[in-house]
């Protein structure tokens, strides 16, 4: 019988749950550990060197303690700066989350694409390189948001955020120079948590591109085939603040009982 697979899904907070849910749907047999470094949220406000050092140390500790088979960095802000160092240090497979600029530009009919991410992701050389390599004939507008990830966390935790505040963050994505933006890349894993609001508030209909399904496909490709026996794996979560939001985790099928309230040393 194939040994059980353990997948570690990592983010600064709740955003990685948008990636987690796709992977769980694709591989329900695997054991999952969701890790949120919420003690350091938001990653978008952290200096690059400090962020790389923190993520490498935290992931290293988790690899030693939990022995995952595969790690998903479900965070654009971390992936676009820390992936090379993680891959250099550790030999297990890493799947990152980076702005989906290539598929967005390949599918845009108006050739007007916007990339909405944290200010850090938008400023990264990694993101600029994706545009140089894959924008083709598209005009790409970069929109860095200071507050949208925190708005997503607040909404999920039951604290409503006003429409005007959300619209203020997404409005610069909608450009009209005779041709209108038709595709907005959601380059932060928190943003799909707000997808219904984004659809309600969009000035005109666009395709909001969520990379989670593509990430789930990549994970399925990397894991050995699922065992033939019908089994559902375990679902656990660690929040570095030591305060896992049990009600939110329950919405994602992670039972409060299964939540570990430990704080990994970082
Ligand atoms: N979820 C993270 C991302 O995909 C960012 C949120 C933060 O700033 O911590 O970029």
């Amino acid at each position: 019988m194939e040994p059980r697979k353990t997948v570690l899904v990592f983010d600064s907070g709740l955003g990685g749950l948008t990636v987690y849910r796709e992977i769980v749907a694709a591989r329900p047999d695997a054991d999952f550990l969701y890790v949120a470094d919420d003690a350091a949220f938001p990653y978008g406000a952290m200096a690059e060197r400090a962020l790389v050092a923190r993520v490498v140390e935290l992931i290293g500790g988790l690899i030693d303690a939990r022995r995952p088979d595969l790690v998903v960095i479900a965070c654009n802000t971390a992936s676009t700066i820390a992936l090379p160092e993680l891959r250099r240090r550790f030999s297990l497979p890493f799947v990152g989350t980076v702005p989906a600029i290539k598929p967005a530009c390949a599918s845009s009919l108006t050739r007007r694409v916007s990339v909405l991410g944290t200010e850090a992701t938008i400023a990264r050389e990694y993101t600029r390189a994706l545009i140089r390599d894959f924008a083709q004939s598209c005009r790409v507008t970069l929109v860095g948001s200071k507050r949208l990830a925190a708005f997503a966390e607040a909404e999920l935790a039951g604290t409503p955020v006003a429409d005007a505040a959300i619209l203020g963050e997404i409005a610069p994505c909608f450009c009209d120079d005779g041709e209108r933006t038709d595709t907005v890349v959601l380059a932060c894993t928190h943003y799909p948590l707000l997808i219904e609001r984004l659809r309600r508030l969009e000035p005109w209909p666009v395709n909001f591109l969520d990379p989670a399904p593509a990430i789930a496909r990549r994970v399925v490709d990397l894991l050995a085939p699922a065992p033939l026996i019908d089994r559902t794996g375990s679902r656990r979560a660690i929040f570095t603040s030591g305060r896992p939001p049990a009600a939110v985790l329950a919405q994602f099928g992670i039972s409060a009982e299964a939540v570990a309230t430990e704080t990994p040393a970082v």
Side-chain angles (χ1 to χ4, degrees):
M1 194 173 72
E2 276 291 333
R4 295 175 175 194
K5 295 293 175 188
T6 298
V7 178
L8 193 160
V9 181
F10 179 82
D11 184 33
S12 58
L14 301 173
L17 290 168
T18 62
V19 176
Y20 165 89
R21 69 185 167 196
E22 290 287 336
I23 307 172
V24 167
R27 281 300 298 264
D29 59 289
D31 293 327
F32 282 88
L33 177 63
Y34 184 80
V35 180
D37 185 15
D38 60 333
F41 179 86
Y43 273 4
M46 274 179 88
E48 291 190 352
R49 283 176 63 170
L51 178 55
V52 173
R54 185 174 177 93
V55 170
V56 167
E57 181 147 10
L58 191 52
I59 295 288
L62 289 159
I63 290 171
D64 284 348
R66 309 290 174 141
R67 304 272 160 212
D69 296 285
L70 184 148
V71 176
V72 180
I73 305 295
C75 174
N76 293 259
T77 309
S79 295
T80 49
I81 193 72
L83 269 181
E85 187 61 12
L86 288 168
R87 289 188 170 129
R88 198 177 67 76
R89 296 268 196 118
F90 310 110
S91 59
L92 75 173
F94 283 89
V95 177
T97 308
V98 299
I101 289 164
K102 186 178 181 181
C105 290
S107 64
S108 168
L109 296 177
T110 63
R111 318 308 291 155
R112 299 290 181 274
V113 169
S114 291
V115 182
L116 179 64
T118 63
E119 289 177 307
T121 295
I122 292 308
R124 298 258 198 266
E125 170 52 26
Y126 193 107
T127 303
R128 310 280 160 147
L130 286 175
I131 293 171
R132 281 197 301 275
D133 293 345
F134 300 116
Q136 301 163 39
S137 58
C138 285
R139 185 168 304 169
V140 179
T141 302
L142 290 168
V143 180
S145 168
K146 204 190 277 296
R147 301 189 299 166
L148 206 51
F151 288 167
E153 295 252 332
E155 281 278 335
L156 203 56
T159 308
V161 178
D163 281 353
I166 293 176
L167 187 56
E169 299 297 302
I170 67 168
C173 294
F174 292 81
C175 305
D176 186 352
D177 61 4
E179 290 290 359
R180 285 177 161 185
T181 304
D182 70 353
T183 306
V184 175
V185 176
L186 298 179
C188 170
T189 53
H190 279 71
Y191 302 165
L193 295 170
L194 293 170
I195 191 65
E196 280 157 31
R197 296 291 287 290
L198 301 182
R199 291 223 173 93
R200 186 156 64 70
L201 294 170
E202 60 189 359
W204 58 79
V206 294
N207 176 23
F208 286 108
L209 211 63
D210 174 2
I215 294 165
R217 284 194 296 276
R218 179 76 186 131
V219 171
V220 168
D221 285 347
L222 288 171
L223 288 179
L228 293 175
I229 54 156
D230 203 14
R231 85 176 276 270
T232 299
S234 62
R235 315 278 183 249
R236 296 169 56 80
I238 292 172
F239 279 64
T240 59
S241 67
R243 294 185 302 277
V248 171
L249 293 173
Q251 293 172 40
F252 289 83
I254 305 175
S255 74
E257 296 75 45
V259 172
T261 55
E262 65 199 76
T263 306
V266 285

